[in-house]
Amino acid sequence: MSAEDVLFDMLHSEIVSYLVSKSAEDEDISILEHLGYSCGWRLIERITKELPRYKEELEILKFICTDFWSCVYKKQVDNLRTNHQGVYVLHDNEFRFFSKLSNGTQYLKSAPKYATFTCGLIRGALENFGISSIVTVEIIRMPSCKFHIQVLPSSS
Amino acid sequence: MTIYNIYIFDRMGTLLFHTNWNRLKQSGMSSEEEAKLMYGMLFSIKSFVSKISPLDPKRGFLCYKTNKYALHYYESLTGVKFILNTDISVKNVRDLLHQLYKEIYVEYVVKNTECTMGQPIESELFKLKLDLFIKQNMKSLQ
Protein backbone atom coordinates (compact mmCIF):
# COMPACT_ATOMS: atom_id res chain seq x y z
CA MET A 1 0.00 0.00 0.00
CA SER A 2 1.49 3.30 -1.05
CA ALA A 3 1.87 6.35 1.15
CA GLU A 4 -1.06 8.28 -0.27
CA ASP A 5 -3.40 5.35 0.29
CA VAL A 6 -2.41 5.24 3.92
CA LEU A 7 -2.92 8.97 4.16
CA PHE A 8 -6.43 8.68 2.74
CA ASP A 9 -7.28 5.83 5.13
CA MET A 10 -6.02 7.72 8.13
CA LEU A 11 -7.60 11.01 7.16
CA HIS A 12 -10.89 9.22 6.62
CA SER A 13 -10.85 7.49 9.98
CA GLU A 14 -9.83 10.70 11.73
CA ILE A 15 -12.71 12.57 10.11
CA VAL A 16 -15.06 9.80 11.22
CA SER A 17 -13.91 9.83 14.81
CA TYR A 18 -13.81 13.64 14.92
CA LEU A 19 -17.36 14.00 13.68
CA VAL A 20 -18.63 11.22 15.91
CA SER A 21 -17.04 12.74 18.99
CA LYS A 22 -18.27 16.22 18.06
CA SER A 23 -21.91 15.77 17.28
CA ALA A 24 -24.87 13.85 18.59
CA GLU A 25 -25.40 10.37 17.28
CA ASP A 26 -27.97 10.95 14.58
CA GLU A 27 -26.30 14.09 13.27
CA ASP A 28 -22.83 12.74 12.54
CA ILE A 29 -24.03 10.38 9.85
CA SER A 30 -25.54 13.15 7.73
CA ILE A 31 -22.40 15.30 7.77
CA LEU A 32 -20.23 12.37 6.77
CA GLU A 33 -22.67 11.39 4.08
CA HIS A 34 -22.66 14.90 2.75
CA LEU A 35 -18.86 14.96 2.63
CA GLY A 36 -18.97 11.77 0.63
CA TYR A 37 -21.69 13.14 -1.60
CA SER A 38 -19.74 16.17 -2.63
CA CYS A 39 -16.51 14.16 -3.05
CA GLY A 40 -18.30 11.66 -5.25
CA TRP A 41 -19.91 14.39 -7.29
CA ARG A 42 -16.58 16.03 -8.03
CA LEU A 43 -14.65 12.83 -8.42
CA ILE A 44 -16.93 11.47 -11.11
CA GLU A 45 -16.36 14.62 -13.12
CA ARG A 46 -12.66 13.94 -13.04
CA ILE A 47 -12.75 10.24 -13.78
CA THR A 48 -15.19 10.40 -16.66
CA LYS A 49 -13.66 13.28 -18.58
CA GLU A 50 -12.02 10.91 -21.07
CA LEU A 51 -14.89 8.46 -21.34
CA PRO A 52 -17.68 8.19 -23.90
CA ARG A 53 -21.13 9.04 -22.69
CA TYR A 54 -23.03 6.28 -20.93
CA LYS A 55 -26.72 6.06 -21.39
CA GLU A 56 -28.06 3.02 -19.63
CA GLU A 57 -28.58 3.07 -15.90
CA LEU A 58 -27.11 -0.41 -15.58
CA GLU A 59 -24.01 0.63 -17.50
CA ILE A 60 -23.50 3.52 -15.15
CA LEU A 61 -23.82 1.22 -12.16
CA LYS A 62 -21.30 -1.13 -13.73
CA PHE A 63 -18.96 1.78 -14.21
CA ILE A 64 -19.32 2.61 -10.51
CA CYS A 65 -18.49 -0.99 -9.60
CA THR A 66 -15.40 -1.22 -11.80
CA ASP A 67 -13.62 2.03 -12.67
CA PHE A 68 -14.92 4.21 -9.91
CA TRP A 69 -14.41 1.62 -7.20
CA SER A 70 -10.89 0.77 -8.29
CA CYS A 71 -10.02 4.44 -8.42
CA VAL A 72 -11.06 4.96 -4.81
CA TYR A 73 -10.60 1.55 -3.20
CA LYS A 74 -8.00 -0.08 -5.50
CA LYS A 75 -10.27 -3.00 -6.22
CA GLN A 76 -13.53 -3.71 -7.95
CA VAL A 77 -16.86 -4.46 -6.36
CA ASP A 78 -17.14 -8.22 -6.07
CA ASN A 79 -20.81 -8.57 -6.86
CA LEU A 80 -23.52 -6.40 -8.36
CA ARG A 81 -27.15 -7.43 -8.18
CA THR A 82 -30.30 -5.78 -9.35
CA ASN A 83 -34.01 -6.46 -9.52
CA HIS A 84 -34.22 -4.38 -12.73
CA GLN A 85 -36.64 -2.06 -10.96
CA GLY A 86 -34.19 0.45 -9.64
CA VAL A 87 -32.73 -1.48 -6.74
CA TYR A 88 -29.06 -2.39 -6.89
CA VAL A 89 -26.90 -4.17 -4.35
CA LEU A 90 -23.14 -3.70 -4.42
CA HIS A 91 -21.31 -6.36 -2.52
CA ASP A 92 -17.69 -5.79 -1.53
CA ASN A 93 -16.16 -8.85 0.15
CA GLU A 94 -13.23 -6.93 1.49
CA PHE A 95 -14.20 -3.36 2.06
CA ARG A 96 -11.08 -1.26 2.47
CA PHE A 97 -12.12 0.64 5.59
CA PHE A 98 -12.94 -2.62 7.38
CA SER A 99 -9.90 -4.64 6.38
CA LYS A 100 -7.80 -3.43 9.32
CA LEU A 101 -10.68 -3.29 11.72
CA SER A 102 -12.09 -6.72 12.20
CA ASN A 103 -12.60 -10.14 10.74
CA GLY A 104 -15.95 -10.97 12.21
CA THR A 105 -18.37 -9.12 14.39
CA GLN A 106 -16.05 -7.23 16.73
CA TYR A 107 -16.61 -3.44 16.45
CA LEU A 108 -19.79 -4.16 14.47
CA LYS A 109 -21.56 -1.40 16.34
CA SER A 110 -19.20 1.27 15.06
CA ALA A 111 -18.87 -0.21 11.59
CA PRO A 112 -21.64 1.82 9.89
CA LYS A 113 -19.86 5.09 10.55
CA TYR A 114 -16.91 3.86 8.51
CA ALA A 115 -19.19 3.13 5.57
CA THR A 116 -21.25 6.32 5.64
CA PHE A 117 -18.75 8.36 3.65
CA THR A 118 -18.84 5.70 0.95
CA CYS A 119 -22.64 5.77 0.84
CA GLY A 120 -22.41 9.47 0.12
CA LEU A 121 -19.68 8.87 -2.41
CA ILE A 122 -21.91 6.55 -4.41
CA ARG A 123 -24.90 8.84 -4.14
CA GLY A 124 -22.90 11.87 -5.25
CA ALA A 125 -21.42 10.00 -8.19
CA LEU A 126 -24.84 8.81 -9.35
CA GLU A 127 -26.33 12.25 -8.86
CA ASN A 128 -23.80 13.71 -11.28
CA PHE A 129 -24.86 11.11 -13.83
CA GLY A 130 -28.39 12.38 -13.37
CA ILE A 131 -29.58 9.55 -11.19
CA SER A 132 -31.14 10.42 -7.86
CA SER A 133 -30.88 7.67 -5.33
CA ILE A 134 -30.90 6.60 -1.71
CA VAL A 135 -27.87 4.62 -0.63
CA THR A 136 -27.85 2.55 2.53
CA VAL A 137 -25.38 0.09 3.92
CA GLU A 138 -25.75 -3.35 5.41
CA ILE A 139 -22.96 -4.97 7.40
CA ILE A 140 -23.33 -8.45 8.77
CA ARG A 141 -19.80 -9.63 9.07
CA MET A 142 -16.70 -7.57 8.46
CA PRO A 143 -14.76 -7.03 6.25
CA SER A 144 -17.59 -7.62 3.80
CA CYS A 145 -20.11 -4.90 3.18
CA LYS A 146 -23.28 -4.42 1.11
CA PHE A 147 -24.46 -1.13 -0.33
CA HIS A 148 -28.11 -0.93 -1.27
CA ILE A 149 -28.93 1.61 -3.92
CA GLN A 150 -32.52 2.60 -4.45
CA VAL A 151 -32.90 4.71 -7.57
CA LEU A 152 -35.59 7.33 -7.27
CA PRO A 153 -37.86 8.05 -10.23
CA SER A 154 -36.47 11.07 -12.06
CA SER A 155 -38.47 14.25 -11.83
CA SER A 156 -37.64 15.49 -15.33
CA MET B 1 12.01 -25.08 18.30
CA THR B 2 9.52 -23.40 20.56
CA ILE B 3 8.13 -19.94 21.06
CA TYR B 4 6.92 -19.45 24.62
CA ASN B 5 5.35 -16.06 24.91
CA ILE B 6 5.31 -12.47 23.73
CA TYR B 7 4.96 -9.13 25.47
CA ILE B 8 4.35 -5.79 23.79
CA PHE B 9 4.97 -2.60 25.75
CA ASP B 10 4.52 0.97 24.65
CA ARG B 11 6.93 3.84 25.27
CA MET B 12 5.45 4.60 28.68
CA GLY B 13 5.74 1.00 29.86
CA THR B 14 2.09 0.07 29.49
CA LEU B 15 1.55 -3.57 28.68
CA LEU B 16 -0.25 -3.46 25.34
CA PHE B 17 -0.42 -7.14 24.71
CA HIS B 18 0.65 -10.45 26.15
CA THR B 19 0.06 -14.01 25.11
CA ASN B 20 1.39 -17.48 25.90
CA TRP B 21 1.86 -20.41 23.55
CA ASN B 22 3.86 -23.12 25.25
CA ARG B 23 4.60 -21.84 28.67
CA LEU B 24 5.08 -24.67 31.15
CA LYS B 25 6.13 -22.80 34.25
CA GLN B 26 4.00 -20.00 35.63
CA SER B 27 5.56 -17.14 37.53
CA GLY B 28 3.05 -17.39 40.38
CA MET B 29 2.01 -13.75 40.24
CA SER B 30 -0.66 -11.79 38.46
CA SER B 31 0.06 -10.89 34.86
CA GLU B 32 0.10 -7.15 35.64
CA GLU B 33 2.68 -7.69 38.30
CA GLU B 34 4.69 -9.86 35.98
CA ALA B 35 4.52 -7.22 33.25
CA LYS B 36 5.77 -4.55 35.62
CA LEU B 37 8.63 -6.76 36.67
CA MET B 38 9.47 -7.52 33.07
CA TYR B 39 9.42 -3.87 32.04
CA GLY B 40 11.49 -2.87 35.03
CA MET B 41 14.11 -5.47 34.24
CA LEU B 42 14.31 -4.42 30.60
CA PHE B 43 14.59 -0.81 31.58
CA SER B 44 17.49 -1.64 33.89
CA ILE B 45 19.22 -3.82 31.33
CA LYS B 46 18.94 -1.12 28.71
CA SER B 47 20.51 1.53 30.90
CA PHE B 48 23.10 -0.96 32.14
CA VAL B 49 24.08 -1.91 28.60
CA SER B 50 24.38 1.66 27.41
CA LYS B 51 26.44 2.71 30.46
CA ILE B 52 28.80 -0.24 30.56
CA SER B 53 29.37 -0.50 26.79
CA PRO B 54 33.02 0.27 25.90
CA LEU B 55 31.96 1.54 22.48
CA ASP B 56 28.96 3.34 21.12
CA PRO B 57 26.25 0.72 21.77
CA LYS B 58 24.35 1.60 18.53
CA ARG B 59 21.53 -0.94 18.66
CA GLY B 60 21.78 -1.47 22.39
CA PHE B 61 20.28 -4.46 24.14
CA LEU B 62 19.33 -7.30 21.80
CA CYS B 63 18.74 -10.50 23.75
CA TYR B 64 19.80 -12.65 26.67
CA LYS B 65 19.99 -16.37 27.13
CA THR B 66 19.77 -18.75 30.07
CA ASN B 67 20.38 -22.45 29.74
CA LYS B 68 16.66 -23.01 29.19
CA TYR B 69 15.33 -20.10 27.19
CA ALA B 70 16.26 -16.95 25.31
CA LEU B 71 14.64 -13.54 25.54
CA HIS B 72 14.70 -11.44 22.39
CA TYR B 73 14.13 -7.73 22.50
CA TYR B 74 13.16 -5.38 19.70
CA GLU B 75 12.38 -1.72 20.12
CA SER B 76 10.98 0.46 17.37
CA LEU B 77 12.14 4.06 16.92
CA THR B 78 8.89 5.18 18.49
CA GLY B 79 9.60 3.13 21.60
CA VAL B 80 7.23 0.21 21.12
CA LYS B 81 8.90 -2.83 22.64
CA PHE B 82 8.50 -6.41 21.56
CA ILE B 83 9.74 -9.20 23.83
CA LEU B 84 9.71 -12.75 22.57
CA ASN B 85 10.75 -15.73 24.67
CA THR B 86 11.90 -18.78 22.77
CA ASP B 87 14.04 -21.82 23.34
CA ILE B 88 17.79 -21.36 22.90
CA SER B 89 18.16 -22.93 19.44
CA VAL B 90 16.21 -20.19 17.69
CA LYS B 91 17.92 -17.80 15.24
CA ASN B 92 17.06 -14.62 13.32
CA VAL B 93 14.48 -13.48 15.81
CA ARG B 94 15.33 -9.82 15.31
CA ASP B 95 14.20 -9.87 11.70
CA LEU B 96 11.08 -11.68 12.73
CA LEU B 97 10.27 -9.11 15.39
CA HIS B 98 10.92 -6.28 13.00
CA GLN B 99 8.60 -7.91 10.51
CA LEU B 100 6.00 -8.45 13.20
CA TYR B 101 6.14 -4.78 14.10
CA LYS B 102 5.86 -3.72 10.47
CA GLU B 103 3.28 -6.17 9.21
CA ILE B 104 1.12 -6.89 12.20
CA TYR B 105 1.40 -4.10 14.76
CA VAL B 106 1.41 -1.18 12.33
CA GLU B 107 -1.21 -2.72 10.06
CA TYR B 108 -3.74 -3.92 12.60
CA VAL B 109 -3.20 -1.66 15.58
CA VAL B 110 -1.92 1.67 14.29
CA LYS B 111 -4.24 1.70 11.29
CA ASN B 112 -7.26 0.74 13.36
CA THR B 113 -8.81 3.84 14.92
CA GLU B 114 -10.85 1.68 17.27
CA CYS B 115 -7.59 0.82 19.03
CA THR B 116 -6.69 3.69 21.33
CA MET B 117 -2.97 4.37 21.53
CA GLY B 118 -1.46 3.56 24.88
CA GLN B 119 -4.28 1.19 25.80
CA PRO B 120 -4.14 -2.61 25.86
CA ILE B 121 -4.91 -4.03 22.41
CA GLU B 122 -8.34 -5.60 22.18
CA SER B 123 -8.67 -6.15 18.45
CA GLU B 124 -9.52 -9.77 17.68
CA LEU B 125 -8.15 -9.35 14.18
CA PHE B 126 -4.76 -8.36 15.57
CA LYS B 127 -4.70 -11.41 17.86
CA LEU B 128 -5.62 -13.66 14.98
CA LYS B 129 -3.00 -12.23 12.64
CA LEU B 130 -0.31 -12.38 15.30
CA ASP B 131 -1.04 -16.00 16.05
CA LEU B 132 -1.00 -16.83 12.35
CA PHE B 133 2.23 -14.91 11.83
CA ILE B 134 4.02 -16.75 14.63
CA LYS B 135 2.81 -20.13 13.44
CA GLN B 136 3.80 -19.43 9.84
CA ASN B 137 7.26 -18.25 10.78
CA MET B 138 8.12 -21.10 13.14
CA LYS B 139 10.08 -22.86 10.41
CA SER B 140 12.19 -19.93 9.33
CA LEU B 141 13.64 -19.64 12.80
CA GLN B 142 15.52 -22.92 12.86
Side-chain angles (χ1 to χ4, degrees):
Chain A
M1 195 180 257
S2 73
E4 59 258 49
D5 293 339
V6 177
L7 193 63
F8 170 51
D9 282 356
M10 290 191 171
L11 186 62
H12 171 262
S13 49
E14 286 308 322
I15 289 169
V16 171
S17 57
Y18 172 75
L19 289 176
V20 169
S21 72
K22 257 209 112 190
S23 54
E25 254 188 40
D26 41 323
E27 257 188 304
D28 61 286
I29 300 294
S30 67
I31 299 170
L32 257 176
E33 212 264 354
H34 185 76
L35 280 178
Y37 174 82
S38 102
C39 276
W41 204 92
R42 286 156 205 274
L43 202 59
I44 211 72
E45 205 77 70
R46 217 197 100 109
I47 304 170
T48 54
K49 63 184 175 191
E50 304 289 335
L51 288 171
R53 182 104 181 96
Y54 287 91
K55 290 202 178 76
E56 289 281 314
E57 192 175 274
L58 187 63
E59 273 184 76
I60 292 170
L61 260 301
K62 276 185 191 157
F63 170 79
I64 297 279
C65 290
T66 53
D67 297 31
F68 182 71
W69 215 258
S70 40
C71 173
V72 183
Y73 297 110
K74 311 292 168 206
K75 74 188 279 291
Q76 298 189 352
V77 168
D78 296 297
N79 200 336
L80 170 68
R81 288 196 184 159
T82 175
N83 66 353
H84 297 289
Q85 279 163 12
V87 176
Y88 298 87
V89 180
L90 271 61
H91 193 157
D92 191 338
N93 288 325
E94 186 151 4
F95 185 51
R96 174 157 154 195
F97 295 143
F98 293 163
S99 64
K100 302 289 150 91
L101 209 60
S102 169
N103 180 358
T105 52
Q106 199 193 17
Y107 304 126
L108 194 63
K109 237 179 101 186
S110 52
K113 67 184 188 193
Y114 291 100
T116 306
F117 176 81
T118 307
C119 285
L121 210 61
I122 299 170
R123 193 170 69 91
L126 289 175
E127 192 75 48
N128 205 2
F129 276 121
I131 301 171
S132 298
S133 60
I134 297 169
V135 183
T136 49
V137 66
E138 178 191 348
I139 307 145
I140 293 164
R141 197 190 149 83
M142 289 187 275
S144 89
C145 187
K146 274 183 193 166
F147 294 94
H148 294 260
I149 301 166
Q150 164 102 56
V151 174
L152 301 172
S154 61
S155 49
S156 59
Chain B
M1 161 62 231
T2 326
I3 291 177
Y4 297 117
N5 56 3
I6 189 164
Y7 299 85
I8 303 174
F9 291 98
D10 77 352
R11 193 154 42 102
M12 314 305 285
T14 318
L15 180 69
L16 296 181
F17 186 73
H18 171 223
T19 191
N20 289 320
W21 282 282
N22 300 299
R23 186 172 177 173
L24 295 173
K25 185 183 165 299
Q26 298 303 323
S27 58
M29 53 180 122
S30 74
S31 57
E32 294 110 62
E33 236 178 311
E34 193 186 283
K36 274 183 201 157
L37 209 61
M38 173 61 89
Y39 189 80
M41 178 199 68
L42 292 168
F43 191 83
S44 311
I45 293 182
K46 258 175 65 184
S47 83
F48 173 78
V49 166
S50 64
K51 283 204 185 91
I52 234 74
S53 169
L55 302 161
D56 176 13
K58 292 228 164 77
R59 292 195 295 172
F61 171 53
L62 301 174
C63 64
Y64 75 66
K65 234 178 227 187
T66 72
N67 60 355
K68 286 286 182 201
Y69 80 103
L71 177 143
H72 305 268
Y73 179 78
Y74 174 82
E75 185 176 339
S76 77
L77 272 174
T78 51
V80 186
K81 298 158 181 73
F82 295 82
I83 294 103
L84 192 72
N85 288 318
T86 66
D87 70 22
I88 47 181
S89 67
V90 172
K91 291 187 182 77
N92 300 328
V93 182
R94 269 198 81 72
D95 296 340
L96 180 88
L97 285 178
H98 176 65
Q99 213 182 335
L100 186 131
Y101 165 65
K102 213 169 66 177
E103 289 171 18
I104 311 291
Y105 179 78
V106 171
E107 291 296 318
Y108 298 102
V109 177
V110 178
K111 291 188 187 172
N112 177 354
T113 17
E114 296 291 316
C115 287
T116 323
M117 293 286 105
Q119 293 289 319
I121 299 163
E122 310 218 307
S123 165
E124 296 292 334
L125 185 59
F126 167 77
K127 289 173 195 172
L128 190 83
K129 293 282 176 185
L130 178 79
D131 207 50
L132 218 66
F133 178 85
I134 293 291
K135 280 172 185 155
Q136 274 170 358
N137 286 282
M138 284 278 196
K139 281 188 195 124
S140 69
L141 294 173
Q142 277 157 344

